[in-house]
Amino acid sequence: MKTIRERAEEYAENEDLVQGTDGFEYCLRDYIKGATEQKAIDIEKAKTAFGKACGWLSTYLWYNEVFEKFMKIMEE
């Protein structure tokens, strides 16, 4: 899986509207900003969905460990 930075660089290199170094840097910065914000939104949605789907499971001791592993993977 590619990082946000790697995807941003590919996008910026292929964007027809980007001209010169400044255009590339603006495109790169904006892509990274948007992707980072979207990732935060996705993580919050995943937390909510995980909690709703597994609500009663939270009474089990192993639940917190599974949830922490899940969140760590989401944040990578």
Side-chain angles (χ1 to χ4, degrees):
M1 182 183 303
K2 295 179 184 175
T3 65
I4 290 174
R5 174 90 186 177
E6 290 168 336
R7 291 192 317 268
E9 288 173 352
E10 285 180 6
Y11 171 77
E13 287 171 359
N14 294 320
E15 182 59 40
D16 291 337
L17 302 175
V18 176
Q19 296 179 5
T21 303
D22 289 343
F24 178 83
E25 291 301 321
Y26 285 124
C27 190
L28 189 65
R29 182 200 65 210
D30 291 345
Y31 185 101
I32 291 171
K33 181 181 177 198
T36 302
E37 290 172 358
Q38 186 61 50
K39 184 177 180 179
I41 291 167
D42 292 346
I43 289 171
E44 284 303 312
K45 285 183 177 183
K47 283 181 185 178
T48 301
F50 195 92
K52 287 181 180 178
C54 303
W56 63 272
L57 291 174
S58 64
T59 59
Y60 291 96
L61 296 175
W62 52 264
Y63 174 84
N64 287 333
E65 182 179 334
V66 170
F67 184 76
E68 289 300 319
K69 286 181 182 178
F70 174 77
M71 292 312 304
K72 185 176 180 180
I73 291 168
M74 284 293 297
E75 292 171 357
E76 290 178 348

